[in-house]
């Protein structure tokens, strides 16, 4: 997916959560959301394509084995520092990125790609 598509998917999900809670998305949490929607690619693409230290542009930060602890750590840090809304928004953004990368290929005529989020349990997606 393109960066703006990840941003749109994340924003729609976050906006629905906000509106369900009687609030509007705004301020720093929206910035944190935007960073979260791009985070897996900001980590994996340079590590794979520039430095060659991971096998694919969809491996380390796209893996659920990394994403879940990362989002948990950000949530704990946000709670400790008084930035729960921003931590939640980052988590929504990050966790929206992963299923989007699994489902998007099927939407454009390919097939589901669960391997995109299962590294190192399965070989990395290209």
């Amino acid at each position: 997916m393109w960066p703006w598509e990840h941003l749109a998917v994340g924003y729609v999900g976050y906006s629905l959560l906000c509106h369900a809670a009687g609030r509007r998305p705004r301020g720093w949490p929206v910035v944190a959301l935007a960073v979260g929607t791009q985070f897996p690619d900001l980590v994996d693409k340079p590590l794979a394509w520039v430095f060659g230290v991971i096998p694919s542009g969809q491996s380390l930060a796209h893996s659920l084995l990394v994403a879940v602890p990362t989002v948990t750590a950000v949530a704990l840090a946000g709670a400790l520092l008084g930035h729960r809304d921003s931590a939640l928004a980052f988590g929504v953004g990050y966790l929206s990125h992963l299923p989007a990368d699994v489902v998007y290929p099927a939407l454009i005529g390919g097939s589901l790609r669960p391997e995109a989020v299962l590294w190192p349990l399965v070989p990395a997606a290209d």
Side-chain angles (χ1 to χ4, degrees), residues 44-125:
D44 285 354
K45 306 291 190 232
L47 289 178
W49 299 348
V50 177
F51 300 108
V53 296
I54 58 175
S56 166
Q58 281 188 335
S59 53
L60 180 69
H62 284 78
S63 174
L64 287 170
L65 297 175
V66 172
V68 171
T70 300
V71 168
T72 301
V74 169
L76 290 172
L80 289 172
L81 299 171
H83 297 286
R84 284 189 175 129
D85 290 345
S86 293
L88 171 68
F90 175 86
V92 169
Y94 191 162
L95 295 177
S96 72
H97 186 112
L98 304 181
D101 278 348
V102 170
V103 173
Y104 184 72
L107 295 176
I108 60 170
S111 60
L112 293 175
R113 295 198 51 202
E115 68 275 8
V117 299
L118 296 175
W119 183 85
L121 302 175
V122 299

